[in-house]
Amino acid sequence: APVITVPVPLGDRAYDIFVGRGLLAGAGPRIAALGARAAIIITDENVGPLYADALAEALQRQGLRATTFAVTPGEATKSYASLEKVCDAVLAAKIERGDLVVALGGGVVGDLAGFAAAVVRRGVRFVQVPTTLLAQVDSSVGGKTGINSRYGKNLVGAFHQPSLVLADTALLDTLPIREMRAGYAEVVKYGLIDDARFFDWCEANWRGVFSGGLERDEAVAQSCRAKAAVVVRDEREDGDRALLNLGHTFGHALERITRYDSARLVHGEGVAIGLCLAFRFSVSLGLCPAADAERVEAHLAATGLPTRLSHVPGGCGSVDDLLDAMAQDKKVKGGALTFILARGIGQSFIAPGIAVEKVRSFLAS
Ligand code: ADP
Ligand code: ZN
């Protein structure tokens, strides 16, 4: 099967993302090329039984010493307690500076294992083998790692770029459909940010992305190219990288309101509703044609994603509840919010200083 290579040219920390169906079986030589003697695979208890042995064997065939450590699945695992367990597992496996931590899993495993790799021995190299669509198109690229604290999500972490990302699109064949859809919201986001042609492509090809045709590889690769371009311009989110937050100011608020209960809402579902709200808000501010907002909503709805506040199971409270939840977001400063708005599909921009009152009247409408 064809393999697509997406370079991430970050100077002395440059790395490649490989995208393709069936990459896992041939992962050994690519990982061994990094020159390590040993690797520890960090995974979770859903993904481990499916794929960890195949990966460990691929590494062992190249003469690497490979062990596996599995954590409990779910967002609650991005904790200080699991960080301690993972760091101890890395040390117990005698992983040295030149060796590797290999994250095999979704965003939870990638963020946690990446952070452990960033801090153990003041930094060991790590490889991402993302197993969710969300992780393949978003969290495995860009070097953000971390855990949650009682004060909020992702508040303790480090920038630590991977040495390699292997996105085997066949691994998504076992992913629950709901997780697949949630990741797809982030794919659509890249079109909405600055690539109208890619949004057109998504409208025409989304079925192939879901069914696992070559379109899936193309969607993952194109998303990685888009994310890599933003990360290379603004690695530490001092500027442009904020565009990646399109749909996320509303989305994060909905996640907070539903108490991060994945039975009610997962991240990508919050993003899908958030993307629709960001476009409708842009329309209400007179910035964006209504037809573009309608196209966004129609496309996300066609894939089965939620698109409206009324789609949140258990409801999302009053307008004030939503505003309160948004005010807790780190992007809020002095009565005004920074939003990512759009002049149309593929024409998003950072809009600082949006008065809370404008958001209130939009949400109340
Ligand atoms: P995200 O990437 O959305 O942050 P998580 O790391 O929380 O997601 O993974 C979402 C759920 O899907 C978890 O329960 C995880 O164990 C499971 N999972 C991840 N990858 C796969 C896969 N390829 N096949 C089946 N289940 C998977
Ligand atoms: Zn996101």
Side-chain angles (χ1 to χ4, degrees):
V3 176
I4 307 173
T5 307
V6 179
V8 187
L10 277 169
D12 58 349
R13 287 157 306 127
Y15 59 95
D16 283 323
I17 304 164
F18 293 103
V19 180
R21 176 164 277 275
L23 274 179
L24 192 71
R30 287 204 164 85
I31 295 176
L34 298 172
R37 286 185 308 175
I40 182 168
I41 298 164
I42 310 295
T43 186
D44 75 26
E45 285 159 1
N46 293 332
V47 178
L50 294 170
Y51 304 116
D53 284 353
L55 181 55
E57 281 159 23
L59 294 173
Q60 284 153 359
R61 282 198 298 272
Q62 301 300 312
L64 273 89
R65 176 164 54 78
T67 52
T68 300
F69 183 76
V71 297
T72 309
E75 189 68 27
T77 287
K78 280 177 59 173
S79 66
Y80 289 104
S82 342
L83 178 68
E84 181 175 12
K85 286 183 193 150
V86 173
C87 289
D88 282 348
V90 174
L91 292 168
K94 300 203 161 59
I95 298 296
E96 312 268 339
R97 264 284 193 60
D99 293 331
L100 296 168
V101 170
V102 180
L104 173 70
V108 168
V109 165
D111 286 8
L112 174 67
F115 188 36
V119 296
V120 169
R121 301 188 192 280
R122 299 196 184 84
V124 302
R125 294 185 300 168
F126 90 113
V127 171
Q128 292 266 24
V129 185
T131 66
T132 64
L133 182 58
L134 183 84
Q136 293 191 351
V137 302
D138 184 13
S139 55
S140 70
V141 179
K144 281 191 183 179
T145 71
I147 58 173
N148 305 325
S149 103
R150 72 182 69 220
Y151 296 101
K153 288 228 300 178
N154 298 320
L155 290 179
V156 175
F159 285 97
H160 188 50
Q161 296 294 342
S163 300
L164 175 67
V165 180
L166 292 174
D168 181 345
T169 52
L171 305 191
L172 306 183
D173 292 348
T174 55
L175 192 65
I177 177 68
R178 201 173 151 214
E179 298 291 343
M180 191 72 195
R181 287 190 186 115
Y184 184 72
E186 304 274 7
V187 172
V188 171
K189 182 187 77 175
Y190 293 112
L192 298 179
I193 289 173
D194 66 357
D195 192 349
R197 279 187 51 202
F198 183 55
F199 182 81
D200 296 345
W201 184 92
C202 287
E203 284 181 319
N205 294 287
W206 67 272
R207 285 188 175 79
V209 179
F210 281 75
S211 66
L214 280 177
E215 295 88 354
R216 180 185 286 171
D217 298 27
E218 192 42 54
V220 170
Q222 186 54 33
S223 300
C224 289
R225 283 184 204 107
K227 175 135 189 196
V230 175
V231 167
V232 166
R233 262 185 280 143
D234 177 19
E235 187 180 353
R236 303 182 79 92
E237 197 167 335
D238 309 310
D240 263 10
R241 188 163 176 168
L243 284 172
L244 297 172
N245 291 324
L246 179 64
H248 282 63
T249 304
F250 288 117
H252 284 150
L254 294 174
E255 286 186 272
R256 204 169 286 123
I257 282 178
T258 52
R259 298 173 186 267
Y260 302 100
D261 176 357
S262 60
R264 290 175 71 189
L265 202 72
V266 293
H267 175 74
E269 292 169 339
V271 170
I273 298 173
L275 290 170
C276 292
L277 289 175
F279 269 76
R280 291 199 349 243
F281 187 33
S282 300
V283 172
S284 82
L285 293 171
L287 294 165
C288 174
D292 285 35
E294 282 154 22
R295 248 180 101 190
V296 174
E297 171 158 3
H299 179 51
L300 294 171
T303 71
L305 279 162
T307 56
R308 296 173 171 250
L309 291 175
S310 61
H311 297 164
V312 176
C316 54
S318 65
V319 168
D320 278 312
D321 293 339
L322 257 174
L323 288 170
D324 284 349
M326 267 187 268
Q328 285 170 44
D329 202 295
K330 55 183 186 271
K331 286 136 210 131
V332 180
K333 282 181 192 121
L337 297 148
T338 295
F339 265 91
I340 315 302
L341 298 177
R343 296 199 169 81
I345 287 167
Q347 299 176 65
S348 298
F349 63 99
I350 302 169
I354 300 290
V356 173
E357 285 317 305
K358 289 199 166 161
V359 188
R360 183 192 303 281
S361 45
F362 163 66
L363 289 172
S365 67

